[in-house]
Structures are given as structure tokens and as C-alpha cells.
Amino acid sequence: MLSLILIVIASAFFTGIIIRTKSIASGRKGPGIFQPIRDVLRLFKKGVVYSETTSFVFQIAPTIYFSSIVMALLVVPFGRSKGIISFDGDFIFFAYVLALGKFFSIISAMDTGSSFEGMGASREALYSMFAEPAFFILMGSLALLTGFTSFQEMFAALHIGSYISYALAILGTFVLMMIAMVENSRMPIDDPKTHLELTMVHEVMILDNSGFDLGLILTAGYLKFAIYGALVVNLFIGMFPYHFSIPMFFIIQFVLATGVGLIESFMARFRMSHNAQFIFVLTSVSLLIFFGALLILGKFA
Amino acid sequence: MNLIKVILVLPVLVILLIPFFKTRGKGILCYAAIILNTLLSGYLAVQSLAGEMTEITLPGSLVTGPVNLRIDALSGWFILIINFVFLTGGLYGLYYMKAYQSQRNNLTLHGIVFVLLHCALLGLCTVQNSIVFLIVWEIMAISAFLAVIFEHEKMATVKAGLNYLIQSHVSILFLMFGFIWVAFKTGSYDFHALTLYTSEHKGGAGLLLFLVFFTGFGIKAGFVPFHTWLPYAHPAAPAHISGIMSGVMIKIGIFGILRMITLIKADYYTIGLIILAFSVISGLYGVMLAIMQHNLKKLLAYHSIENIGIIGMGIGIGCIGLGNGNTILASLGFAGALLHTLNHALFKSLLFYTAGNVYQATHTLHIDHLGGLIKKMPQTASLFLIAAIAISGIPPFNGFISEFIIYSGFYYWMHDAMLGTLMAIIFSVLGLVLIGGLALLCFTKAFGIVFLGQARQQFHHEVREVPFMQLAPLYLIAFFIVIIGVFPQIFLNTLLQPVHLLSGLSLNAGLPYQEKMTGLLQPVTWGIGGFILLTGIIFALRKYITRNRNIAVEPTWGCAYVAPTAKLQYTASSFVRAYGKLFRPILLSSKTEKEVEGLFPSGGSYETNVYDRVEKYLIDNPIAAYKALLGRFLFLQNGRLQFYILYGIIFIVSVICIPLFYDQVVLFIQYIKQI
């Protein structure tokens, strides 16, 4: 329950902070932190335009996408406090329920018959396929290390003590953040602010969405970022008491958001054709984590 | 006893009667036979799942010895799956075959083999005698062959059928070898002899025997590298036969492997690792090739290979659990495998039937020629969508449940694994995750291109939805797909007996399996239920909030280009192009293109095809070498009658002379010995 409230709060300003960081870094005045929320509220009040090519898939897809992300959110724990649902293997549920959302966002893009959206859909499907193994191996390593298979128990039992475990936590943060970048279509993989449809991934898929549906999709995006941020936070807080962990949660989320903003200000997007290889590298990094876990457990002996 | 006799006599009677009926009557008679057989065998199967095994012994003949028939829990589970798929497939087939009404004789044959195939599959689940098993196996192979080549006026269909027939005889060869081996050592053709022999001979013999059977059954099941018949046979057959073949016939291979696991006592741990390795490769290879296919049914056929891989992973985990003496691991693995067998039978047959609908409506299965069918055939499209989500292993449908159990098996196995096995686990998990991701890519492609967007080609005939009665069995299947996804407990409780049988638990120790399964799946069910509820609420909210809003309908945004045509849409090939480039080292893709040239271009063309690398190196190249060898003897067949008469004379002379010579040679040898 706690994680739900915290993530919703964090999601309210996460994207705002990214935009603010970018505007400061480029010397612009820029919009306020709550501009993304205002955008969404505005969209919720608007009418819609549907493409004449689309079918009912296009109309139900944003809802399913949104609820899949909310469902994933319900699984995420916060330190000692469990998510609303928590069970053995809940991270499998987490990944697969997100996949459902992805499935629908892809087919809704294809429903428009636009070649741009088809292109985006194709890329989204390919990238998310490559990102998933990294997540599963990371979670497998944590399961191996702690002997549990649910988010909450794994994170709670994670003790950061030795040097190796520090290294592992940092690698884990890296992998989770990169997965978050892939999932949220942010900078090194995708440039949300590009001017050309050909070079977008996620943005181009929602070209034809408007009004309430677009609002849902954007909100889902904000939530998704905060969810991955919360997973990163969970790597560190372990069993800390709440008066430490809650401020830590916000600090880490803030650092992540500014980090993303800075990356977007000072880095160029990777070449589209090399993105897939790059994402697959994450799998090898998470294999490193797995070997690190083996080292800690002394399985190499 | 009497029940079994009825089951045996009924099909014979129906088969004799079918030719005398009119076209309509044939279909109804066939279907009535299927229903009756289903009810009778289903009754026994349900009893066996409740824990009451049916066992009778027929007298048999001099050659076979007494023939034991037994319906235990494992047979029961498979019998129920077979019956369900035949019930829905038969009804669908009744309507699907209407287009072929004029081919009366052909339909007679088709009806006969359909009933035979059903009986043969049921028989294979019950027979406990190896000779009879082989005979029934042969009946199944031949009736399936005849069912596949229904459209035998097409060359490709006959070729695919022959390919299947030959490969299924290779499979029989392995099975025969295994059975004869045991019969030679023990003198008995009863399945029990397998257990006796392998428990007496510890060590390599059991393992080798199992591998022989695994190869035999693996050809039927379609494990890579024994899969090459499958992508030809499934697309060539009529839709309901494809559904049945993919849904249950290849599962008989799985049944065989499971049966052998219960019978052969060998080093289960090694067996488990071998099966796991084959399965991961099958799963990945199947889906990798599936993505590149242009023919919808061929795409689905490659997905069967993938799903056999997933089932195999479950069996592998189960065997490893058996080998380690870890009953919970064993029950997780076998439960996952058995449930996925059912699941795959459901969604794959649904996919084949919907593909059949598409074929009936458009007369093509080429993915890039289709498009926008969701507007013409909304029901077919929705059913396909449900099955596509289910096969990608995504909640809230049934595919997720079985994959979840298999994942849990892997992560549970981690607890007591050592370095080597941990590697096996992590790479299997990697494989399973990639399979899921690739399946998502594949089915978004298939659904997106075939059903969404605009029609890529204009057809000269009207494209319309098939009649409701043809859709009814499809709805029934979809219903079960949803039910298993939302209430998996019902089915897992039914699995109690088969899993116990496989994991070697005594029936009284029923608690660990049930506790584990309930503990594992109860929250998942809550999650899935919650998800459905949440989606419903959000959808209702959306409906409520936007009730008074303006809704405008405009053309799709085309970057301000105002005259887009349907040809500008993304195609299936372009959807997977990035994937194809990345996986080029594994895939064997070929490209033929004719570029547009000159001031007045006369039209260009571009075609890509993917060929199966395993097929090239394992089937095509050896056959080419063999043909080259035989080609050297081509001079014998020179077409001159005189020579053929000469061969005849040589043959007769040698038949007469060789025995004479033989005696001389024997005498000669004796003479030498005396010296």
C-alpha cells in the first residue's frame, strides 16, 4: 500500500523534473515541474479523433495498456511493506502483465495502418524482447542470492555488506535503469523530442491517439518511470526504518530523474540499427550479476 | 469390458457404413461416431482421473501375447484432451468441408480416416503391448497421411504428405528398434517388460533405450532437429486437420515420452538435462523461424515446435526432480508440462481454425496479401486475438499459467542447485524469456498484418464472416482458454492423479503437490482477477467521462501526405526486417529481386524467403548425397525391354543356382576344415 502511494506521488513530478533539468541545462526558462500533469488533465477534457482505418482494438488498447501498468505497480513493494499483491514469482507476473500492455500498444499502432506507426511498433516489439532477459536474469540472481522468489522478500533479504555486493547493487541499478530507459523510450535508445517520425520509437506509435486515450497513455508512461525508480530504490533500502527509507525514496527518485534529464541534454541517441545489440548487452551485464551472486554464495568452490 | 468392446466395434461399424450415405449424412454419421466414442472413452478417462484405473486384458494372438489395455491417470488426461479437440475440430470440419461438397468419394475417405485417427489416438493412450502399439501407431500415421492429402490435386500437398509419411516411418523404426531390443532380452512384448529390463540393467542400457524412444517419439512431437516434416504437413492439410494434428497428434509424441518416463527406470537426472537441452533449442529455433514465415499456417506450424519446446522444458524439470528425489520440483515440472499440453491444444487449434476461416474468406494464407480483415470478420479476428495473446504466454489467458508454473519450477530448482545446474537453469530461463518475447513479436506481426490496417489486396469475391455454427466450436475453445487463465485451480486439481503417477508419489501423500499449487496459483488468480476488474473499471470510467465528447473520424496521420494508399502500409516483411537482419547468422534467408530500371520501368519485384538450416544439413544434403550414389546405378534402368528380360533371367538363374552353389561352398569349407 505504501509503495502505491509513494510511486503515485513520485510519478507526479518525475517527468516534470526531467523536463526542468533539460531546460536548465540548455539555458531555457522551460515549463514548470507540474506541466506534464497539466497536459494530461487537459487531455482528459478533450474530445477525440479516431482514424477511419482503426477498429475496436484501437479503442480498448490504451485502457488495457494503462491498467497493465497499474497492475504492475500493485506488485512493487517498498522495503518492509509489501505491494498490494505479493506472492512467490510475482516478478514473473510483473514482467508478463507489462508485456500484455505492450502487446496492445503494438497492435493499436498497427491498427492505424500507418507505416510510421508500424515502424515504431516493430522497434518496440524488438527492443522489449531484448530487454526482458536482462530483467529475468537479474531477478534470478536476486532469487539465488536470497533464496526467495517474491519482490518483497528478495529485496528485504538483500544485505549489502561486502565489496562484491556493492558492485552487484551498482550493476543492478544500471541494468534496471537501462531497462527503464528502454521501457519508457528515453534517450540512449529513443529520443522522445525528435522532430522526425522516422527516428522515434514510442512517440510514433501514439501519433493517432488523442484526447482521453492519449492522456491515459501519458499517465501510464509517468507511472512506469516511477515504478522502475522504485525498484532501484528497493535495491538499497532493505529493512531500513521508514523515517530513513521514505526520504531516501524521494532522493533517489530525484537523482534518477535529474540523471535522465542530464543524459538527455548531453548525449545523442544511439544509432537505431545498433540499439538491439546495445540492449542485449544488458543481458550480459545481468549475467555478470548472476556470476557475482555465485561468487558470494561460494558456488565456484 | 463391454464398454471397451463397444468402443472397438463402433468405429468399424461406422467406417463400413459411411460409403452408403449421402454427402450430408456422411458428415453427420462421422461426427456422431466421434461424439459416441468421446462419451464412452471420456467416461473411463474421467474415472481414471478420479483415481479409478480401468484395466482389462484381451486374449490377443499367438504373436502378440495377451494384450493389456489400461487407462491410468496419464492416459486419462490425454484422452480428454484428444476428445475435446476432436469434438470441436469435428464440428468445425463439418462446416469447413462444405466447400468441397462435390468431391463425394474424397469426402468418404476423409470421414473414414477422421474416425480412424480418433480411435488410433485413443488406442495409443491405452495399449500396453508393444506390437499392438506399433500397429495402432501405424494406423494413426497412415490415417493422418490420408487426412493431410485431402487436396491431393495440389502437388505441394502430396509432397508434404509424403514427407510426413516417410518421417513418421523413420519414427516407427526407432520405436520398433526399442521394443524389439527389450522383447529380445526379456521375451515379452508387454510394456511391463520395459520396467523389468531397465531395473535389472542399471546404467547405460536404460539411458540408451530411453534415447531411442525419445528420438522416435521426438520425431512425432517435433523436437528440433526432428521437426522438418511439421512445417510442411500442417499448412497442407485442411484447417481442422491442421488443428487436430498440431493440437493432439504431436502431443502423442509427448505422451509417449511421458509414458516411457514412467516405464523405463534409468538415470532420470541425465535424461532431464538431455530433454531440457533439446527443448530449449526447439523452443528458440521454432519461434525464430516462425517469425520469418509468409504463410500464416506455416507460421503457426513453427509455433507448434516452439510450444513442444516449452512442454519439453516442463518434462525436463520433472525428470530432474525425479532424479534428485525432489518431489515438489518433479510435480511442478510435470504439472507445467501437462497443463501446457492442454493449453497448447486449445489455443493452437483455435489459431488453426481461425486461419481456416481466413482461408475460406479470402482463399489465401499469404500474410502480406491480407489486411484489414477485422472489419469484415470481427468475430474471427477477436478469437484469433485471444489465442494469440494466450500463445504468447501473456495473462489473463491460459498460456501464462503453464509458463508461470514452469518458471516457478526453474526458480524452485535453484535452491539446491550446484554450479553446473545453475548454468543450465539460467540459460533455460533465458531461453524461455526470449521465446516469450519472440512470440510476442511474431503474433503482433501475424495479428497486426492480417487483421488490422487496410486490405492490401482487392479480392474478386466478397470477403465475409463464416456462419455462426462454424464459429460456435471456436467460442467453446476460447471459453476454456479464458477459464484456465482465470480459474486454473480446477484444472490443476484434475492434474493431481497424473502428476502423482509421473512424479512417483504415493496417492496418500497428496499434500505437497496440492499445497504447493494452491500456494503458488491462488495469488496469481487474484492478480489476474484484479487485472480484469481494473480494466473493466477504467474502461467504464473512460466511457462515462467521454460520453459527451466530440468524436471525429479522420484519415490516419500520414505526415501531411494526403493520398496514401493501402500499399504504403507496413508489411509483415518490413515489420520483422530488423529482426531478420539481427538473426541472419542463424536463419538461412534468400532474396530474389528485380530492380526497377530505365526511363519507362516495367516493374520490379522483391522476394525474401527463409529456409530451415537444420533441414538443409540434416535432410536435404544427405538425401542429395544418397541420390548421387544411387545415380551411379542409373544405367541399369535404361528403358530397353531386352535388358529387363535379361535381369529377369539373371534373377531366376541366380535363385536356382545360389542354393546349389551354397551347398558346394559349404562342402568346400568342410573339406578345408578337414585338412
Side-chain angles (χ1 to χ4, degrees):
Chain A
M1 197 63 200
L2 187 59
S3 62
L4 174 69
I5 299 165
L6 288 175
I7 290 174
V8 170
I9 296 172
S11 69
F13 64 79
F14 201 101
T15 317
I17 289 178
I18 297 178
I19 295 172
R20 193 83 194 102
T21 315
K22 279 166 81 176
S23 60
I24 292 173
S26 58
R28 284 182 289 119
K29 191 159 173 259
I33 283 183
F34 292 105
Q35 188 58 42
I37 301 295
R38 281 191 214 118
D39 288 349
V40 166
L41 289 178
R42 163 70 62 84
L43 281 169
F44 280 151
K45 287 177 198 152
K46 284 195 162 193
V48 280
V49 182
Y50 288 122
S51 154
E52 59 200 14
T53 320
T54 57
S55 63
F56 70 91
V57 171
F58 190 75
Q59 303 199 16
I60 59 169
T63 312
I64 294 178
Y65 178 64
F66 180 78
S67 68
S68 79
I69 288 181
V70 174
M71 209 59 215
L73 163 63
L74 297 185
V75 182
V76 177
F78 181 74
R80 274 180 299 178
S81 111
K82 291 183 175 180
I84 300 222
I85 40 175
S86 165
F87 50 90
D88 283 346
D90 54 2
F91 65 92
I92 304 167
F93 182 72
F94 174 85
Y96 272 79
V97 98
L98 283 181
L100 175 68
K102 223 166 285 162
F103 192 101
F104 270 92
S105 70
I106 290 169
I107 59 172
S108 104
M110 298 182 79
D111 199 12
T112 60
S114 148
S115 47
F116 297 117
E117 294 184 39
M119 198 178 292
S122 145
R123 287 170 183 162
E124 172 99 356
L126 191 66
Y127 297 164
S128 62
M129 172 195 97
F130 280 123
E132 256 173 31
F135 178 76
F136 272 84
I137 295 180
L138 175 65
M139 286 302 148
S141 323
L142 294 184
L144 177 67
L145 209 52
T146 59
F148 295 109
T149 48
S150 83
F151 267 140
Q152 195 265 337
E153 288 168 319
M154 275 194 291
F155 288 134
L158 203 62
H159 292 295
I160 297 187
S162 63
Y163 288 118
I164 303 175
S165 62
Y166 276 118
L168 289 191
I170 290 169
L171 283 178
T173 312
F174 173 73
V175 170
L176 275 179
M177 267 336 276
M178 288 321 287
I179 294 175
M181 296 301 175
V182 177
E183 294 279 328
N184 291 289
S185 329
R186 299 307 291 210
M187 194 50 140
I189 294 96
D190 182 17
D191 185 357
K193 287 286 170 263
T194 175
H195 63 284
L196 186 63
E197 284 86 345
L198 282 175
T199 56
M200 301 173 182
V201 180
H202 181 70
E203 293 300 310
V204 77
M205 287 171 66
I206 54 174
L207 273 183
D208 270 277
N209 286 100
S210 55
F212 194 88
D213 288 348
L214 185 60
L216 277 181
I217 294 172
L218 291 181
T219 321
Y222 305 154
L223 281 174
K224 218 173 182 183
F225 234 129
I227 289 173
Y228 280 96
L231 285 183
V232 173
V233 173
N234 270 314
L235 276 182
F236 294 99
I237 56 174
M239 296 299 279
F240 285 163
Y242 287 133
H243 57 271
F244 284 129
S245 58
I246 293 177
M248 243 176 108
F249 174 85
F250 286 110
I251 291 169
I252 293 180
Q253 291 270 22
F254 180 77
V255 171
L256 290 177
T258 32
V260 173
L262 288 175
I263 289 175
E264 294 202 354
S265 309
F266 295 106
M267 240 180 104
R269 181 174 55 72
F270 290 141
R271 269 185 64 185
M272 202 61 98
S273 53
H274 290 183
N275 260 344
Q277 284 104 318
F278 164 72
I279 297 169
F280 204 58
V281 166
L282 288 181
T283 307
S284 11
V285 177
S286 50
L287 273 178
L288 269 184
I289 299 176
F290 183 70
F291 292 136
L294 290 183
L295 261 183
I296 292 179
L297 292 174
K299 296 264 185 190
F300 277 119
Chain B
M1 184 73 192
N2 287 328
L3 206 56
I4 301 260
K5 275 187 183 154
V6 174
I7 296 178
L8 285 173
V9 170
L10 191 78
V12 178
L13 210 67
V14 169
I15 286 165
L16 289 178
L17 279 175
I18 284 179
F20 302 104
F21 275 79
K22 287 227 164 89
T23 316
R24 213 180 139 73
K26 284 188 218 291
I28 293 170
L29 182 67
C30 252
Y31 194 59
I34 299 274
I35 291 180
L36 264 175
N37 244 347
T38 297
L39 288 178
L40 296 176
S41 60
Y43 170 68
L44 294 176
V46 169
Q47 265 194 337
S48 75
L49 283 178
E52 276 181 56
M53 199 163 75
T54 311
E55 188 165 15
I56 60 163
T57 309
L58 299 176
S61 68
L62 199 62
V63 185
T64 57
V67 179
N68 219 343
L69 297 179
R70 184 190 305 155
I71 301 182
D72 57 6
L74 182 64
S75 326
W77 179 253
F78 277 86
I79 285 176
L80 286 185
I81 295 177
I82 290 168
N83 282 341
F84 182 78
V85 174
F86 266 86
L87 269 186
T88 50
L91 189 57
Y92 177 79
L94 271 186
Y95 289 89
Y96 185 83
M97 281 307 184
K98 271 197 174 158
Y100 303 92
Q101 253 172 359
S102 53
Q103 311 179 15
R104 280 195 59 187
N105 298 336
N106 209 358
L107 280 178
T108 310
L109 183 64
H110 191 74
I112 290 174
V113 295
F114 194 74
V115 176
L116 258 184
L117 186 60
H118 185 203
C119 295
L121 286 171
L122 292 180
L124 285 175
C125 293
T126 51
V127 172
Q128 301 287 317
N129 179 300
S130 43
I131 288 188
V132 180
F133 186 87
L134 285 175
I135 293 170
V136 181
W137 186 271
E138 184 69 22
I139 295 175
M140 171 193 71
I142 289 176
S143 53
F145 163 71
L146 289 173
V148 166
I149 59 161
F150 179 76
E151 290 183 88
H152 49 70
E153 65 279 359
K154 288 185 190 161
M155 196 58 202
T157 305
V158 177
K159 261 190 168 171
L162 284 176
N163 190 339
Y164 159 71
L165 192 67
I166 291 168
Q167 296 221 28
S168 72
H169 280 85
V170 176
S171 132
I172 279 200
L173 199 67
F174 278 98
L175 298 184
M176 259 188 195
F177 178 74
F179 284 132
I180 290 175
W181 175 357
V182 174
F184 182 69
K185 293 281 184 188
T186 60
S188 160
Y189 285 112
D190 198 85
F191 275 3
H192 194 57
L194 287 167
T195 319
L196 279 180
Y197 174 66
T198 46
S199 44
E200 275 169 17
H201 298 74
K202 291 268 183 250
L207 189 62
L208 198 63
L209 187 65
F210 182 82
L211 286 183
V212 169
F213 281 117
F214 179 72
T215 316
F217 287 121
I219 292 174
K220 176 76 16 186
F223 278 103
V224 173
F226 316 120
H227 67 280
T228 47
W229 62 272
L230 210 143
Y232 291 102
H234 288 195
H240 59 290
I241 298 296
S242 319
I244 283 166
M245 279 178 87
S246 186
V248 291
M249 216 181 73
I250 61 173
K251 303 296 161 40
I252 273 299
I254 296 291
F255 171 79
I257 292 169
L258 287 172
R259 176 60 80 206
M260 288 306 143
I261 289 170
T262 61
L263 289 173
I264 294 177
K265 302 285 173 235
D267 179 6
Y268 287 118
Y269 186 73
T270 320
I271 289 178
L273 285 181
I274 292 171
I275 295 181
L276 199 58
F278 271 104
S279 308
V280 173
I281 293 170
S282 302
L284 278 174
Y285 193 73
V287 70
M288 275 178 185
L289 277 166
I291 293 178
M292 301 302 290
Q293 299 307 319
H294 300 301
N295 180 309
L296 185 57
K297 271 169 112 179
K298 203 163 179 183
L299 180 149
L300 296 178
Y302 272 110
H303 265 285
S304 299
I305 301 170
E306 172 225 313
N307 277 285
I308 288 293
I310 296 177
I311 295 171
M313 283 186 204
I315 299 178
I317 298 174
C319 285
I320 286 160
L322 276 183
N324 285 348
N326 186 341
T327 43
I328 293 189
L329 182 60
S331 56
L332 275 177
F334 287 128
L338 287 174
L339 189 65
H340 200 76
T341 308
L342 170 65
N343 288 345
H344 180 245
L346 293 174
F347 50 63
K348 186 48 68 67
S349 56
L350 184 54
L351 283 168
F352 269 116
Y353 301 155
T354 42
N357 288 354
V358 169
Y359 182 70
Q360 271 198 327
T362 63
H363 305 306
T364 178
L365 282 169
H366 197 295
I367 296 175
D368 274 334
H369 292 172
L370 298 163
L373 286 180
I374 197 168
K375 282 170 213 104
K376 305 261 174 58
M377 312 170 74
Q379 303 188 54
T380 302
S382 313
L383 288 166
F384 189 93
L385 179 60
I386 290 175
I389 294 173
I391 199 176
S392 308
I394 293 176
F397 298 133
N398 60 358
F400 174 69
I401 301 293
S402 39
E403 284 191 27
F404 183 81
I405 296 173
I406 293 174
Y407 271 119
S408 306
F410 278 124
Y411 285 113
Y412 185 82
W413 182 16
M414 262 185 182
H415 289 320
D416 52 69
M418 288 317 291
L419 185 63
T421 40
L422 278 170
M423 290 294 143
I425 296 172
I426 210 71
F427 282 106
S428 309
V429 169
L430 187 66
L432 192 53
V433 176
L434 269 178
I435 289 171
L438 288 164
L440 186 132
L441 179 67
C442 190
F443 276 98
T444 47
K445 164 192 144 171
F447 182 74
I449 303 292
V450 173
F451 291 101
L452 302 178
Q454 286 173 329
R456 285 176 179 72
Q457 208 176 47
Q458 294 308 319
F459 296 104
H460 298 299
H461 47 85
E462 193 193 352
V463 176
R464 57 161 185 264
E465 185 68 273
V466 295
F468 178 76
M469 277 310 287
Q470 191 173 344
L471 287 168
L474 277 58
Y475 278 112
L476 186 65
I477 302 175
F479 173 75
F480 274 96
I481 289 178
V482 177
I483 287 291
I484 298 179
V486 183
F487 304 107
Q489 284 89 349
I490 309 169
F491 293 87
L492 284 164
N493 287 339
T494 325
L495 269 175
L496 182 67
Q497 297 286 343
V499 169
H500 273 242
L501 185 77
L502 282 165
S503 53
L505 281 171
S506 70
L507 289 176
N508 300 327
L511 288 172
Y513 166 77
Q514 266 179 323
E515 268 177 17
K516 183 77 193 158
M517 283 301 160
T518 344
L520 197 64
L521 282 167
Q522 196 62 50
V524 181
T525 327
W526 282 111
I528 287 174
F531 172 76
I532 293 171
L533 195 69
L534 186 72
T535 313
I537 292 172
I538 295 172
F539 200 71
L541 261 180
R542 170 183 177 277
K543 200 104 199 158
Y544 178 74
I545 293 174
T546 57
R547 68 193 181 286
N548 291 327
R549 301 282 156 76
N550 290 334
I551 295 178
V553 176
E554 299 279 340
T556 300
W557 168 245
C559 286
Y561 182 65
V562 288
T565 70
K567 286 198 169 170
L568 281 182
Q569 290 178 98
Y570 231 44
T571 60
S573 315
S574 42
F575 189 76
V576 295
R577 181 168 171 273
Y579 160 83
K581 274 174 88 174
L582 277 173
F583 284 78
R584 186 168 295 160
I586 300 170
L587 309 166
L588 200 67
S589 52
S590 63
K591 186 161 70 173
T592 47
E593 61 183 318
K594 188 175 154 234
E595 291 207 4
V596 181
E597 283 173 345
L599 288 176
F600 300 102
S602 59
S605 66
Y606 180 84
E607 198 182 322
T608 54
N609 275 307
V610 169
Y611 195 67
D612 194 336
R613 195 175 279 269
V614 173
E615 188 176 0
K616 185 178 172 202
Y617 291 113
L618 195 76
I619 310 278
D620 293 355
N621 287 358
I623 286 183
Y626 184 58
K627 267 177 145 174
L629 176 71
L630 290 186
R632 290 177 189 277
F633 300 100
L634 210 60
F635 69 91
L636 290 173
Q637 195 182 12
N638 49 16
R640 288 193 207 150
L641 192 61
Q642 297 94 318
F643 275 87
Y644 293 159
I645 294 171
L646 180 66
Y647 298 154
I649 292 171
I650 292 175
F651 176 73
I652 293 170
V653 169
S654 43
V655 164
I656 296 169
C657 291
I658 285 175
L660 299 176
F661 273 112
Y662 182 75
D663 288 345
Q664 298 301 323
V665 170
V666 170
L667 274 177
F668 182 67
I669 291 172
Q670 278 173 352
Y671 178 70
I672 290 175
K673 274 184 183 166
Q674 278 172 1
I675 297 172

